[in-house]
């Protein structure tokens, strides 16, 4: 079974590729979680974040934006001692800041999806060299998120978020998931 070039043989990565990546996501907390996790990935591999996702869910209150927005500095200091997560002060502070910004949005799901016209953009790339790292839509999303008070939301992070959340479907044509997602089989 052919998978995208970036998917290793690790069972965690295979499951993520086969069941999550590129599947249109509209549930608010799941989108919020993914946006924060993409920010935690900055400078690291996605696999590193994926291995720590379960622990993040535990210590970040299931990515509940209300609870994350209320984190105080002492709680962030305590999180910096947890070896099960990426211990980066700026990224943890950004999670709190991003929760506050998320809560200020009237309809964050519709707003985020508006950058692709409200429906998945299905791409038909033959190989990895055609898949962009950034698009004009990701740049626009990055600017808008920053203006709304978010951080760790550069254009590359935004495009990875768009790919992961199914806003754009970038499974390559040789990947078995391309045909399934292109016909809306999720």
């Amino acid at each position: 079974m052919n998978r995208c070039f970036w998917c290793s043989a690790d069972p965690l990565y295979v499951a993520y590729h086969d069941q999550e990546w590129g599947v249109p996501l509209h549930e608010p907390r799941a989108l919020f979680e993914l946006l924060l996790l993409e920010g935690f990935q900055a400078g690291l591999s996605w696999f590193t974040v994926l291995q720590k996702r379960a622990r993040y869910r535990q210590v970040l209150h299931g990515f509940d934006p209300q609870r994350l927005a209320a984190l105080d500095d002492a709680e962030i200091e305590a999180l910096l001692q947890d070896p099960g997560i990426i211990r980066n002060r700026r990224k943890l502070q950004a999670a709190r800041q991003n929760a506050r910004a998320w809560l200020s949005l009237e309809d964050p799901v519709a707003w985020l999806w508006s950058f692709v016209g409200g429906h998945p953009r299905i791409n038909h790339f033959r190989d990895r060299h055609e898949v962009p790292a950034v698009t004009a839509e990701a740049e626009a999303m990055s600017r808008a998120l920053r203006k709304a008070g978010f951080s760790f939301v550069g254009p590359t992070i935004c495009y990875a978020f768009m790919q992961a959340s199914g806003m754009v479907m970038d499974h390559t044509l040789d990947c078995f998931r391309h045909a399934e997602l292109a016909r809306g089989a999720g």
Side-chain angles (χ1 to χ4, degrees):
M1 189 174 296
N2 286 339
R3 291 184 173 84
C4 292
F5 65 92
W6 54 263
C7 184
S8 73
D10 185 279
L12 182 65
Y13 224 19
V14 169
Y16 174 73
H17 171 274
D18 292 0
Q19 298 164 21
E20 296 181 58
W21 194 74
V23 176
L25 188 58
H26 295 277
E27 198 283 314
R29 190 176 297 185
L31 275 172
F32 177 67
E33 172 183 324
L34 188 56
L35 185 61
L36 290 190
L37 289 174
E38 291 290 354
F40 282 121
Q41 184 212 346
L44 304 168
S45 75
W46 178 247
F47 189 61
T48 298
V49 173
L50 197 57
Q51 290 174 305
K52 296 176 180 295
R53 180 170 64 172
R55 184 65 182 152
Y56 272 119
R57 286 176 174 161
Q58 291 173 341
V59 301
L60 296 182
H61 311 293
F63 289 93
D64 177 346
Q66 295 278 356
R67 293 188 67 189
L68 288 179
L71 284 179
D72 62 29
D73 290 340
E75 289 170 299
I76 289 177
E77 287 301 318
L79 288 170
L80 287 168
Q81 306 309 310
D82 190 324
I85 65 170
I86 296 159
R87 295 178 286 180
N88 180 299
R89 181 181 315 280
R90 289 182 53 228
K91 290 178 181 181
L92 289 168
Q93 289 170 334
R96 176 177 60 194
Q97 175 182 331
N98 291 351
R100 291 172 179 167
W102 180 270
L103 292 171
S104 73
L105 298 173
E106 186 174 322
D107 184 351
V109 174
W111 184 68
L112 288 168
W113 274 90
S114 74
F115 291 95
V116 292
H119 54 84
R121 186 154 301 155
I122 308 298
N123 290 315
H124 301 281
F125 298 125
R126 287 190 223 348
D127 65 48
R128 67 175 152 189
H129 304 292
E130 295 178 25
V131 180
V134 173
T135 62
E137 294 85 0
E139 289 173 345
M141 179 185 280
S142 174
R143 282 190 303 274
L145 284 166
R146 287 180 180 164
K147 186 175 180 181
F150 288 80
S151 62
F152 280 92
V153 288
T156 304
I157 288 171
C158 285
Y159 195 66
F161 169 72
M162 294 168 91
Q163 291 172 309
S165 66
M167 290 178 189
V168 295
M169 199 281 288
D170 277 354
H171 287 276
T172 50
L173 289 171
D174 62 341
C175 175
F176 81 98
R177 288 295 280 156
H178 185 278
E180 292 174 353
L181 290 167
R183 70 173 181 267

